[in-house]
């Protein structure tokens, strides 16, 4: 029977097409309530971003906020690819 | 421009409230076009760049039949945004589920996680072995090690030392490490400047930079003051025929 080719999820399509933020955008961005952006909570760490314009330092607490927000596999083939490379994690063959 | 602009639409009073409101609305307009994953997790148009591109590698456990290391070391994926990092992390096995003799390596793009690599062969690593495997949360430790690497908080801007991070799953221990470009000395052909391996960086400063990386790593591992992370040069380990080479520095 004919199988519909799987379509990338909306989140994966966004990941592929989204542009990388520039330093000044990163610093001025306002995040939704409850999200700590780059201007807080650790300005000392992020001073580097504005200073050089090319340096991106991220506090671990900033990065951890993404953990439950971006959960899609990073490409359509990723699971299969990982399975081929790594195997089934069954303790070896 | 033949059409005349309606003058009432132009803010003319610099001291009035109206002028300020107009400009802040304009700024908000520009911002509102930047949709992050936090604003809309399915339809975002900007992502958070990393300072470096990073490649995740995996070492498969040997079958015990004389496998070639090159066949066991697998390049998984290269990425350059925070969002991609989490897409990867959320879709691969945590360290606690890996078979014995597996490794994950997260290295800067273009650097193979092998001491023979041109960019590693004059370097070394900070490492620590957790021998009480049951008493630690290795997944959390490895995650925080990776976050410090991609977030660039292991070293200062111009240190130029960190090449990658690694976790080894072994029968008797989990070992976590940070690989550096140098062992605090200058490297042939790295120039005269104050860069990692450059002649312009005094040995004392090189050592200081490595020790600072070791201290930050130790904090990430949440080790008590009574435990030490050890630094050793890759070639020391190779020549001694063991990864238990004598530590060059400890913190």
């Amino acid at each position: 029977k004919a199988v519909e080719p799987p379509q990338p999820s909306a989140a994966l399509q966004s990941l592929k097409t989204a542009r990388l933020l520039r330093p000044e955008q990163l610093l001025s961005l306002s995040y939704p309530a409850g999200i700590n952006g780059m201007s807080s909570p650790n300005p000392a760490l992020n001073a580097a971003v504005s200073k050089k314009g090319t340096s991106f330092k991220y506090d671990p607490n900033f990065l951890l906020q993404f953990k439950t927000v971006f959960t899609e596999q990073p490409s359509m083939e990723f699971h299969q690819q990982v399975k081929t490379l790594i195997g089934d994690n069954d303790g070896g063959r | 421009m033949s059409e005349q602009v309606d003058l009432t639409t132009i803010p003319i009073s610099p001291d009035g409230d109206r002028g300020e409101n107009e400009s802040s609305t304009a700024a908000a307009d520009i911002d509102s076009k930047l949709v992050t994953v936090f604003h809309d997790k399915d339809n975002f148009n900007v992502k958070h760049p990393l300072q470096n591109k990073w490649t995740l590698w995996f070492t498969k456990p040997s079958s015990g039949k004389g496998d070639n290391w090159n066949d066991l070391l697998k390049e998984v994926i290269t990425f350059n945004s925070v969002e991609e990092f989490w897409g990867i992390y959320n879709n691969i096995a945590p360290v606690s589920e890996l078979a014995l003799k597996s490794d994950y390596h997260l290295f800067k793009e273009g650097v193979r996680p092998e001491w023979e690599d041109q960019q590693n062969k004059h370097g070394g690593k900070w490492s620590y072995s957790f021998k009480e495997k049951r008493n630690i949360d290795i997944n959390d430790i490895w995650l925080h090690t990776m976050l410090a690497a991609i977030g660039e908080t292991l070293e200062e801007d111009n240190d130029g030392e960190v090449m990658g991070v690694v976790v080894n799953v072994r029968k008797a221990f989990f070992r976590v490490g940070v690989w550096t470009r140098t062992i605090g000395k200058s490297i042939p052909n790295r120039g005269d400047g104050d860069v990692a391996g450059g002649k312009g960086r005094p040995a004392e400063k090189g050592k200081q930079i490595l020790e600072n990386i070791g201290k930050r790593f130790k904090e990430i591992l949440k080790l008590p003051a009574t435990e030490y992370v050890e630094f050793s040069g890759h070639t020391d380990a190779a020549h001694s025929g063991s990864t238990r080479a004598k530590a060059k520095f400890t913190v």
Side-chain angles (χ1 to χ4, degrees):
Chain A
K1 73 179 184 186
V3 179
E4 286 277 314
Q7 294 299 307
S9 67
L12 179 52
Q13 281 184 352
S14 293
L15 184 72
K16 294 292 170 214
T17 57
R19 282 171 300 115
L20 292 168
L21 286 160
R22 297 194 305 269
E24 70 276 15
Q25 292 177 317
L26 195 60
L27 288 168
S28 65
L29 201 59
S30 49
Y31 289 90
I35 301 297
N36 286 313
M38 292 298 287
S39 50
S40 64
N42 194 342
L45 255 187
N46 300 320
V49 175
S50 50
K51 191 179 69 195
K52 281 179 66 188
T54 52
S55 166
F56 295 98
K57 283 185 188 285
Y58 297 111
D59 182 301
N61 290 324
F62 175 77
L63 296 174
L64 281 167
Q65 297 176 112
F66 294 76
K67 186 175 185 177
T68 56
V69 180
F70 195 89
T71 56
E72 291 291 317
Q73 51 175 339
S75 71
M76 294 278 287
E77 311 77 33
F78 191 67
H79 280 150
Q80 189 52 49
Q81 195 188 336
V82 166
K83 206 170 159 185
T84 309
L85 287 176
I86 299 183
D88 286 330
N89 305 310
D90 57 359
R93 287 158 302 153
Chain B
M1 289 285 273
S2 58
E3 240 171 281
Q4 186 136 29
V5 178
D6 179 358
L7 291 177
T8 62
T9 65
I10 300 175
I12 47 167
S13 163
D15 56 349
D17 284 337
R18 182 160 164 238
E20 272 181 36
N21 283 344
E22 293 267 335
S23 60
S24 66
T25 309
D29 257 3
I30 292 163
D31 269 358
S32 70
K33 288 173 193 154
L34 301 179
V35 183
T36 71
V37 71
F38 295 116
H39 297 94
D40 184 339
K41 72 186 183 70
D42 288 321
N43 296 290
F44 55 93
N45 63 17
V46 287
K47 52 192 174 184
H48 293 74
L50 300 176
Q51 188 169 322
N52 287 285
K53 286 192 178 183
W54 294 84
T55 303
L56 179 70
W57 302 73
F58 176 71
T59 314
K60 287 173 83 130
S62 161
S63 65
K65 292 171 192 156
D67 293 303
N68 190 325
W69 159 257
N70 279 325
D71 297 334
L72 298 173
L73 178 64
K74 307 284 187 182
E75 187 173 341
V76 181
I77 192 168
T78 297
F79 60 95
N80 68 348
S81 70
V82 177
E83 288 80 355
E84 272 172 295
F85 169 79
W86 286 107
I88 296 160
Y89 181 82
N90 284 322
N91 288 282
I92 55 171
V95 176
S96 61
E97 287 176 20
L98 295 180
L100 297 179
K101 300 186 199 165
S102 307
D103 311 315
Y104 276 135
H105 318 253
L106 185 67
F107 273 65
K108 288 180 180 168
E109 185 190 40
V111 183
R112 288 180 66 86
E114 304 174 302
W115 70 263
E116 298 92 335
D117 187 282
Q118 278 301 321
Q119 300 190 73
N120 288 326
K121 69 182 200 181
H122 300 285
K125 64 174 190 284
W126 283 107
S127 72
Y128 183 80
S129 297
F130 291 94
K131 295 184 180 89
E132 300 287 333
K133 288 171 72 179
R134 284 170 192 279
N135 296 345
I136 59 150
D137 185 348
I138 188 63
N139 297 330
D140 194 59
I141 288 166
W142 174 237
L143 174 58
H144 279 84
T145 303
M146 289 193 292
L147 293 179
I150 67 171
E152 305 287 342
T153 53
L154 279 168
E155 64 181 347
E156 293 300 321
D157 278 343
N158 300 313
D159 290 355
E161 284 286 356
V162 174
M163 307 309 290
V165 292
V166 58
V167 62
N168 310 122
V169 179
R170 298 295 180 269
K171 187 172 182 193
F173 57 84
F174 292 119
R175 183 169 53 219
V176 187
V178 176
W179 284 36
T180 59
R181 186 187 296 276
T182 78
I183 55 171
K185 292 198 267 190
S186 66
I187 294 174
N189 304 321
R190 278 289 281 172
D192 296 328
D194 181 0
V195 296
K199 293 194 194 74
R201 180 171 291 179
E204 191 49 42
K205 183 178 175 187
K207 180 180 176 218
Q208 191 65 52
I209 286 171
L210 291 179
E211 286 184 343
N212 285 339
I213 293 169
K215 283 177 197 158
R216 292 180 190 190
F217 183 44
K218 185 174 181 175
E219 282 171 26
I220 292 162
L221 302 180
K222 299 194 182 81
L223 293 178
T226 50
E227 288 293 307
Y228 295 95
V229 293
E230 296 188 340
F231 185 88
S232 57
H234 296 313
T235 50
D236 298 343
H239 292 155
S240 75
S242 155
T243 50
R244 297 292 305 146
K246 194 159 87 61
K248 193 172 164 61
F249 313 125
T250 53
V251 294

